[in-house]
Amino acid sequence: MTRWRYAAATDAGLVRETNQDTIYADDSLAVVADGMGGHAAGEIASALTVEAICRGFHTRSTVEGLLEAVETANREVLSDARANPERSGMGTTVILVGLTHDITGVVTPTMLHVGDSRAYQLRDGALRQLSADHSVAEEWVRMGRLTPEEALTHPRRHQLTRAIGVDDNVEIDVMSLRVQAGDRLLLCSDGLSNELGPERLAELASAAGSLDDAVLSLVSAARSAGGRDNISAILLEFEAANSPTRIINTTMSAAPPPMAPSAPSRPHPRFTWRVAAALVVLGAVVGGFFFIMHWYAYSTYYLGPDGRFIGIYEGQPSGVLWYKPRLVRPTTYFATHLLAPARQALRSTISEPSIASAQSYAHFLYGQWVSSQLLPVTSTTPSTTTTTLGSSSSTTIAPTTSLGPSSTTTTTTTTTSTTAG
Ligand code: MN
C-alpha cells in the first residue's frame, strides 16, 4: 500500500499583485497549476483546472481517470474563455501526482504534466527532476538545437509549447512513479524553480523536520531570492511504497507533437552510416590484405622434387601463412638426372617468374646433366676411343674386303664399290 504525508504553500511573491497559481493536496492527489492571462484570467484558468481534476480523479482514481480529468479541465478553460471574451487567451500549466489504482488494485503514484511547472524526486538528499519543461528553449535542448547552458538564458525559455486552455487537443505527459518509503516529491511552479537552483532546492526540500517547515522555507527562500513570480510548492513524503523506483515515461495524446520531430531521430542514421562506412573500410583493408598475401604467396614458381621427378611448383617454397606451395606442372625429368650443384640449386629453390621459364630452367638443368654424361666420352679419353673405333672399323672392313673377292659372283655392285674404295 502506498501512502504519503503532504504539505503545501503558495505565495504571490514580491512583484505580482495577484497570485494566479492554484494548488491542491490531499491523501491521494496533489496539484499545482500556474495560470496566465490578464484581468484575473490566469487565476480563473488555474482554479478551473484544479477543480476539474479533483472532481474527475475522485470519481475515477485510475490513470485513465486522471487523463480524462485533465482533458475535461482543458475543455472547461477553453469554453469559459469563449463565453467570456475578456478572458480569451488565458491558460495554465498543470503538474499533478495522484495515487492511481490499476485493475488488480495495485496503487501507484502517477504524475501528469503540461507546461513548465515541475516535479522533483528527493532521496537521501539527492534531487532529480522528473518532469521535462514544455517550453520552447527546453524542447530545443531535447532536440539538440540548444545546450542546457544556452537554454538557461535563452529569450524563449519562458515561452510554453503546451498549456491547458490553448487548444482543443492537449498533449499530456504521463509518468508512473515507483517510490521508496522516505522518498519525497516536490511539485512547484516556476516561481520557485526560477529563483532557487537545484542544490538549494535539494537542501531545503529534504531538510529534516516537519514537511510544513520545509515547504515554508522553500517559499520564503524564493521570496528572498527575488520573488519575481507567484511561488507554489507541495511536498509529499512517502510513508509506505510499493517497490523501488521505476519510471515509465509515456506521452498520451491524439495531438501531434508541437515541433517537427526530425531532430531526435537524427542520431540513428548517422550511427548506421558510420557503422556502414567502418565496415566498408574494414572489408577493404582485410580484402586488400588477403589479396596481397595471396598474390605474394603465388607470384613465383620454383622447381622441386616431385617423387622421382622434378615438378614445377607455384608459390613460396616455405609457404606464406596458410598459402602452401602447390604442384602446377610435373616434368618428365628424373630428379636423379641432375648434377650435384643443380640438385643443390633445387633445394635452395631458385624462383622463376612463370611456368614456362621454370620449365626451360628444368630443361636447362637436364641438358647440363646430359652434357655431363657425354663429356667424358669426347674429352677425357678421346684418342683411345677413336683409335679403337677406327681400328675396329678397319678390321671389319678388312674381312669385307677379303670376303669381297670370294663373293664376287653374288654381287657386282659390291665388287665395284670395293674396287672404287
Ligand atoms: Mn509562474
Side-chain angles (χ1 to χ4, degrees), residues 140 355 417:
W140 284 358
I355 294 178
S417 64

Side-chain angles (χ1 to χ4, degrees), residues 299-304 310-315 326-333 338 346 349-366:
S299 60
T300 60
Y301 300 88
Y302 69 93
L303 299 176
I310 299 169
I312 297 172
Y313 288 86
E314 185 183 45
R326 55 198 183 199
L327 181 70
V328 289
R329 181 85 50 96
T331 69
T332 51
Y333 307 124
L338 289 178
L346 215 60
T349 60
I350 295 161
S351 59
E352 294 292 328
S354 68
I355 294 178
S357 65
Q359 201 151 25
S360 65
Y361 181 58
H363 184 75
F364 165 76
L365 293 178
Y366 179 71

Side-chain angles (χ1 to χ4, degrees), residues 61-404:
S61 60
T62 60
V63 175
E64 294 73 25
L66 268 181
L67 280 164
E68 207 175 271
V70 173
E71 282 161 0
T72 302
N74 186 57
R75 277 194 304 274
E76 288 185 5
V77 173
L78 274 173
S79 65
D80 186 273
R82 281 164 191 155
N84 304 280
E86 75 276 12
R87 296 207 281 269
S88 85
M90 70 176 172
T92 184
T93 71
V94 69
I95 185 132
L96 69 87
V97 176
L99 295 181
T100 55
H101 297 71
D102 71 6
I103 199 163
T104 62
V106 173
V107 175
T108 306
T110 301
M111 183 191 89
L112 268 70
H113 99 106
V114 177
D116 65 354
S117 297
R118 291 180 176 177
Y120 295 92
Q121 185 167 20
L122 294 125
R123 180 179 296 171
D124 302 327
L127 179 88
R128 182 166 59 137
Q129 188 175 333
L130 298 175
S131 57
D133 293 355
H134 301 142
S135 67
V136 172
E138 288 297 322
E139 303 269 9
W140 284 358
V141 169
R142 288 193 284 281
M143 288 176 175
R145 290 175 64 175
L146 286 181
T147 66
E149 294 69 36
E150 287 168 336
L152 290 176
T153 56
H154 197 274
R156 299 181 75 177
R157 68 188 180 278
H158 296 305
Q159 187 181 341
L160 297 185
T161 54
R162 300 189 213 171
I164 300 288
V166 172
D167 192 87
D168 286 319
N169 289 310
V170 60
E171 191 180 4
I172 306 160
D173 277 7
V174 183
M175 192 183 278
S176 175
L177 313 176
R178 297 285 167 101
V179 293
Q180 293 179 3
D183 282 3
R184 285 182 181 181
L185 292 183
L186 168 65
L187 308 187
C188 66
S189 62
D190 64 344
L192 187 80
S193 53
N194 283 340
E195 300 293 1
L196 305 176
E199 293 80 15
R200 193 95 174 97
L201 286 178
E203 179 200 334
L204 295 172
S206 59
S210 78
L211 282 184
D212 287 324
D213 289 348
V215 150
L216 292 173
S217 71
L218 281 165
V219 172
S220 67
R223 282 175 63 97
S224 305
R228 282 155 282 204
D229 193 2
N230 304 147
I231 306 154
S232 296
I234 298 178
L235 265 181
L236 304 175
E237 186 177 276
F238 288 82
E239 293 177 320
N242 40 16
S243 70
T245 303
R246 182 176 64 87
I247 288 169
I248 304 160
N249 193 0
T250 49
T251 294
M252 300 175 86
S253 172
M259 298 275 172
S262 60
S265 62
R266 240 173 36 213
H268 299 288
R270 195 192 300 158
F271 173 75
T272 312
W273 277 113
R274 208 179 290 165
V275 166
L279 285 175
V280 166
V281 170
L282 184 70
V285 167
V286 170
F289 171 78
F290 283 105
F291 178 80
I292 289 168
M293 289 317 287
H294 187 273
W295 171 82
Y296 169 70
Y298 293 129
S299 60
T300 60
Y301 300 88
Y302 69 93
L303 299 176
D306 169 28
R308 289 154 58 220
F309 297 94
I310 299 169
I312 297 172
Y313 288 86
E314 185 183 45
Q316 302 294 334
S318 50
V320 175
L321 301 180
W322 50 87
Y323 300 111
K324 299 293 172 240
R326 55 198 183 199
L327 181 70
V328 289
R329 181 85 50 96
T331 69
T332 51
Y333 307 124
F334 280 102
T336 48
H337 286 179
L338 289 178
L339 297 177
R343 257 179 256 141
Q344 188 61 42
L346 215 60
R347 272 198 294 275
S348 65
T349 60
I350 295 161
S351 59
E352 294 292 328
S354 68
I355 294 178
S357 65
Q359 201 151 25
S360 65
Y361 181 58
H363 184 75
F364 165 76
L365 293 178
Y366 179 71
Q368 274 193 326
W369 179 80
V370 169
S371 312
S372 76
Q373 300 304 302
L374 293 176
L375 277 174
V377 178
T378 51
S379 64
T380 41
T381 49
S383 50
T384 45
T385 324
T386 31
T387 332
T388 344
L389 281 170
S391 58
S392 64
S393 62
S394 55
T395 41
T396 42
I397 289 161
T400 323
T401 2
S402 56
L403 280 168

Side-chain angles (χ1 to χ4, degrees), residues 26 28-29 52-63 65-66 69 96-101:
D26 65 24
S28 59
L29 179 68
I53 288 168
C54 287
R55 204 187 328 122
F57 178 70
H58 289 126
T59 308
R60 189 153 70 114
S61 60
T62 60
V63 175
L66 268 181
L96 69 87
V97 176
L99 295 181
T100 55
H101 297 71

